[in-house]
Amino acid sequence: MSTETHKETPHIKPNGAEIAETILLPGDPLRAKFIADTYLEDVVQFNEIRGMLGFTGTFKGKRISVMGTGMGTPSMSIYSWELINVFGVKNLIRVGSAGAIQDNLNLYDIVFAMGSSTDSNYGHQFNLPGQYSITASFELLEKAKKVADNKGQHVHVGNVLSSDIFYNADPTALQKWSEMGILCAEMESAGLYLNAARAGVNALCILTISDHIFRQEQTTQEERQTAFTNMMEIALELA
């Protein structure tokens, strides 16, 4: 368990509440509340700063936290950096939505982001003399795949796009990524994976397909908040 909950940052103020070493990170803070209310027992709220709700409870006897991160690499990077470097979190599991850009993906399919390609410049700060391959923790990825197999859940495992851009002025951009085998597009995994790699901790991004960009199919906001239960249950079993 994390022993650093007496500390606080400008964005996380636990007021003495525990933050567990394993945390689920949805983008939407209301989804974090849904997970806590639906799956966790003995729940304590550890954050409400800026409306970014965070909770700690137990799932099958294990202490687990869940907290929203907001949208995009900058927001994810702030919260994940603080959770890792100030509060001692060791396993960070993003549970989010993504837009499919391959024909074999459909609404509600689950994707494990083995790799995270990106158009973000977040990694520039590390001054690496080349291009860094941004990848998930194999430890978490391997365990997650076993959990999915045991639950009879088919999942896609591969490379995703972690983009800074939601409304792209270049209408051909996603097609180019699709031609490189990228499964889907989201906005947070690159920052999470880079922070985790630098600190030597584990991170994995588990995604549910909320829309298919090329087919113009999409789920509703209400469905995104509450209906992605298969992804949530895999993440909880993994944790």
Side-chain angles (χ1 to χ4, degrees):
M1 294 183 183
S2 170
T3 59
E4 304 297 329
T5 49
H6 62 284
K7 296 184 178 181
E8 63 180 63
T9 72
H11 313 101
I12 304 174
K13 188 176 182 180
N15 290 319
E18 175 193 355
I19 301 177
E21 286 192 349
T22 297
I23 192 166
L24 272 58
L25 300 173
D28 185 350
L30 293 181
R31 196 177 300 158
K33 186 176 188 302
F34 174 83
I35 293 171
D37 290 345
T38 305
Y39 295 105
L40 302 185
E41 298 179 346
D42 303 319
V43 175
V44 176
Q45 183 171 316
F46 70 79
N47 194 62
E48 61 180 2
I49 302 299
R50 295 174 177 259
M52 202 58 70
L53 304 177
F55 307 89
T56 298
T58 60
F59 180 78
K60 296 187 176 180
K62 181 174 176 60
R63 300 295 286 173
I64 297 173
S65 294
V66 56
M67 180 180 172
T69 63
M71 293 184 289
T73 292
S75 187
M76 165 61 84
S77 299
I78 289 170
Y79 286 109
S80 61
W81 192 97
E82 292 178 355
L83 288 166
I84 294 166
N85 294 287
V86 179
F87 299 103
V89 176
K90 304 297 185 186
N91 303 292
L92 300 93
I93 305 165
R94 164 162 156 70
V95 284
S97 58
I101 57 174
Q102 295 293 336
D103 286 339
N104 65 326
L105 269 67
N106 298 296
L107 296 185
Y108 300 109
D109 280 4
I110 296 172
V111 174
F112 294 166
M114 178 173 64
S116 177
S117 296
T118 188
D119 54 26
S120 171
N121 202 34
Y122 185 73
H124 180 73
Q125 64 182 302
F126 302 117
N127 295 312
L128 298 170
Q131 295 184 357
Y132 179 79
S133 297
I134 305 173
T135 60
S137 157
F138 181 74
E139 178 182 342
L140 289 184
L141 179 61
E142 182 182 36
K143 290 179 180 178
K145 184 61 168 62
K146 289 179 179 178
V147 169
D149 289 345
N150 290 338
K151 294 174 71 67
Q153 288 287 336
H154 171 70
V155 298
H156 305 267
V157 182
N159 205 346
V160 308
L161 171 65
S162 183
S163 179
D164 281 349
I165 305 169
F166 191 86
Y167 299 106
N168 200 319
D170 178 1
T172 70
L174 288 177
Q175 182 61 44
K176 294 171 183 174
W177 286 110
S178 176
E179 290 167 359
M180 293 300 295
I182 298 296
L183 299 177
C184 57
E186 55 89 59
M187 302 186 75
E188 289 82 30
S189 60
L192 172 62
Y193 286 4
L194 284 166
N195 280 347
R198 182 60 181 261
V201 300
N202 296 315
L204 177 65
C205 181
I206 302 177
L207 302 164
T208 296
I209 298 301
S210 60
D211 54 288
H212 198 293
I213 295 171
F214 298 151
R215 297 203 297 254
Q216 298 184 337
E217 301 169 352
Q218 61 184 359
T219 59
T220 66
Q221 176 59 36
E222 291 76 16
E223 289 170 331
R224 295 181 191 204
Q225 182 176 322
T226 60
F228 295 169
T229 54
N230 289 335
M231 168 182 65
M232 296 172 188
E233 290 170 5
I234 289 172
L236 286 163
E237 292 287 348
L238 168 63

